[in-house]
Amino acid sequence: MSFELVILFLAGFFGGVLNSIAGGGSFITFPALIFVGIPPITANATNTFASCAGYMSGTYAFRKEIAQHKDQLVRIVTISLIGGILGAWLLLQTPETVFEEAIPWLLLFATVLFIFGGQINAGLKRLASRHRHASSIGGILLSLLLLGVATYGGFFNAGLGIISLSYLALAGYTNINAMNGLKLLVSSSVSLIAIILFIYNDVIAWYEGTIVLCGTLAGGYVAAHVSRKLPQQQVRNFVIVASIATTLYFFFDVYAG
């Protein structure tokens, strides 16, 4: 038990550091929860619980930037809550074996988004700049896209921030601080409503999740003090290597193990 405690705390710590500097902390925390013997769906729900505090603290830190878009907040939060509960419900309806087989593909999707997210967002920004005066149909499509983003986040937390940034770029947002704040607002809303459903269905491993949560908070605190000293591109490269290795491991474990 003490060995598992150390593994989970360290996973949370380094996940918190990565989330604060480059993103991608779930590539460490989610596999760690499975490694200590937690079933995949419970591990996914627990990872959402452990990540939520970081989303909320980040949202508070960007509160001024978020307030600049107050006319959009009700729509963003409402759609995020609807999508979050829909995604969590879909997760709970998914058989454990089916979800286990889907894990490598979900991780692959999140990995590709992490690696190419910058290029995707740049392309979407160019597209958005050409269509600033979107029609009402465009607004409806953007709302449906946000619903899809939130549903994905309720179903599988890894990669949610990157997908949210892609949505915000397509929606025409250009200020990176505001985009980060709104991204965290979406992540917080999705996670909170999903956690409520997970609690109701008793699928959160509270002990293990709390250990990861404590590690995440500690890692985020340390990262806030040392982030300027760390070369972010090297940290990002580490996340890319870790995400590819994790994805390959799960493909091998599920399909060749």
Side-chain angles (χ1 to χ4, degrees):
M1 184 62 70
S2 60
F3 173 72
E4 292 180 359
L5 188 151
V6 171
I7 291 293
L8 291 173
F9 182 84
L10 289 177
F13 180 85
F14 287 111
V17 170
L18 293 176
N19 281 335
S20 297
I21 298 174
S26 288
F27 288 115
I28 293 180
T29 54
F30 175 65
L33 288 163
I34 292 182
F35 176 77
V36 299
I38 298 177
I41 289 180
T42 300
N44 187 42
T46 304
N47 185 55
T48 300
F49 159 70
S51 302
C52 189
Y55 296 149
M56 294 175 65
S57 63
T59 302
Y60 180 77
F62 282 103
R63 63 192 182 280
K64 292 181 180 178
E65 288 80 4
I66 293 173
Q68 295 172 4
H69 300 276
K70 58 184 178 181
D71 56 323
Q72 296 289 322
L73 297 186
V74 172
R75 181 185 67 86
I76 289 174
V77 170
T78 301
I79 295 175
S80 297
L81 291 173
I82 294 171
I85 199 166
L86 177 60
W89 179 82
L90 288 172
L91 175 69
L92 295 172
Q93 305 309 306
T94 304
E96 195 84 47
T97 54
V98 173
F99 182 73
E100 191 170 353
E101 291 180 358
I103 287 174
W105 298 101
L106 291 166
L107 287 172
L108 178 62
F109 178 65
T111 298
V112 170
L113 281 174
F114 187 86
I115 295 172
F116 299 106
Q119 294 93 314
I120 293 171
N121 286 333
L124 291 176
K125 282 183 181 179
R126 288 194 295 270
L127 179 64
S129 66
R130 296 172 190 166
H131 302 280
R132 288 188 180 278
H133 304 290
S135 64
S136 57
I137 294 178
I140 293 172
L141 291 176
L142 283 173
S143 295
L144 290 174
L145 178 59
L146 178 57
L147 180 65
V149 168
T151 301
Y152 169 85
F155 186 83
F156 191 66
N157 192 261
L160 173 58
I162 301 163
I163 303 175
S164 298
L165 280 177
S166 297
Y167 157 76
L168 291 167
L170 185 59
Y173 293 89
T174 56
N175 183 292
I176 188 59
N177 289 325
M179 290 173 71
N180 277 326
L182 292 171
K183 171 198 73 176
L184 289 163
L185 178 65
V186 170
S187 298
S188 297
S189 302
V190 169
S191 298
L192 280 172
I193 196 66
I195 288 168
I196 292 173
L197 194 59
F198 294 152
I199 291 173
Y200 180 79
N201 287 273
D202 194 26
V203 291
I204 294 178
W206 291 105
Y207 174 78
E208 291 85 353
T210 302
I211 299 302
V212 175
L213 171 61
C214 290
T216 300
L217 293 175
Y221 179 80
V222 170
H225 292 274
V226 301
S227 60
R228 291 186 179 89
K229 301 177 183 178
L230 293 175
Q232 293 198 14
Q233 186 56 48
Q234 290 186 21
V235 175
R236 178 177 169 81
N237 290 340
F238 171 79
V239 177
I240 290 173
V241 171
S243 63
I244 292 174
T246 301
T247 302
L248 290 175
Y249 167 79
F250 275 98
F251 267 110
F252 178 82
D253 184 60
V254 171
Y255 293 104

